[in-house]
Amino acid sequence: MREHEVRTALLDLLAEVGSATATEAAARLGCSSGLCSFHLRQLARHGHIEEAPRTGGRARPWRLKQHVPNANAPTADQFGDLTRGLEDESWQRWLAQRDQAPSEWRHDEAFSAVAYLTPDEMSRVADVIRRVLATYQDREQRPLARPEGARPVALITRLFPLLPPEAGDEGQG
């Protein structure tokens, strides 16, 4: 590959996988890790990429430059509403298309429960769920850490108190 082809390939790879080290990029692109390392540093020097948070060890992952959010960005409440809408849309698409999924993926693990908890207990339950999921979180940004056959799976947990119905709502629903 010529010099600009290596840089273009690196940018394309980072756009695809989220983050990668020079060694991971070299394995994917068929170049030496030294060549990838050089071009990754050049891309960073010119503001196209930046170092990604390290997950331990000496590995130096890179990612596309993160942009600072602007004042017109959605608020946390608006983002939450948007996220819940996308979750619901994804669920409906799953229900409509699951027969087209490979046979080993044609099931889901949807469940719900009601538990009587204090606010502190509800927070502790959420923390336990976050800790369990944390062991898989790096796979989103580091596709090379994914085991063969892994696919994206929506993991949606909503913990909220059930409020009593308002007066006049008892007969509805």
Side-chain angles (χ1 to χ4, degrees):
M1 285 187 198
R2 293 183 16 215
E3 183 173 309
H4 70 282
E5 291 173 335
V6 173
R7 291 183 189 175
T8 300
L10 286 167
L11 290 171
D12 288 345
L13 177 66
L14 293 176
E16 175 190 341
V17 302
S19 70
T21 64
T23 302
E24 292 167 340
R28 288 284 295 266
L29 301 178
C31 301
S32 73
S33 60
L35 181 67
C36 287
S37 179
F38 170 79
H39 287 295
L40 287 165
R41 288 191 312 272
Q42 293 302 308
L43 288 166
R45 192 175 112 205
H46 292 284
H48 298 289
I49 66 171
E50 64 188 5
E51 282 192 62
R54 294 181 188 208
T55 57
R58 294 180 52 207
R60 187 177 185 187
W62 297 91
R63 67 181 179 196
L64 295 176
K65 184 89 172 192
Q66 302 292 303
H67 298 288
V68 178
N70 63 34
N72 296 328
T75 65
D77 286 343
Q78 291 169 327
F79 184 73
D81 291 345
L82 174 65
T83 301
R84 282 184 289 283
L86 292 172
E87 291 166 357
D88 292 342
E89 182 181 315
S90 295
W91 174 248
Q92 293 303 318
R93 186 171 52 252
W94 160 250
L95 292 175
Q97 298 177 355
R98 70 175 151 198
D99 292 341
Q100 299 163 21
S103 60
E104 68 272 16
W105 284 100
R106 287 189 189 152
H107 71 285
D108 57 61
E109 299 291 341
F111 64 92
S112 65
V114 174
Y116 286 79
L117 306 172
T118 66
D120 286 343
E121 289 171 327
M122 187 171 81
S123 293
R124 286 197 302 271
V125 169
D127 288 341
V128 167
I129 293 168
R130 284 187 196 99
R131 281 196 305 274
V132 169
L133 296 178
T135 60
Y136 306 101
Q137 297 276 291
D138 71 325
R139 294 180 182 181
E140 182 175 356
Q141 297 300 318
R142 300 180 54 78
L144 299 176
R146 298 174 192 162
E148 187 174 332
R151 288 184 159 207
V153 173
L155 304 163
I156 301 165
T157 303
R158 296 176 182 164
L159 303 175
F160 56 93
L162 296 175
L163 302 176
E166 292 186 25
D169 285 350
E170 288 85 13
Q172 299 175 357

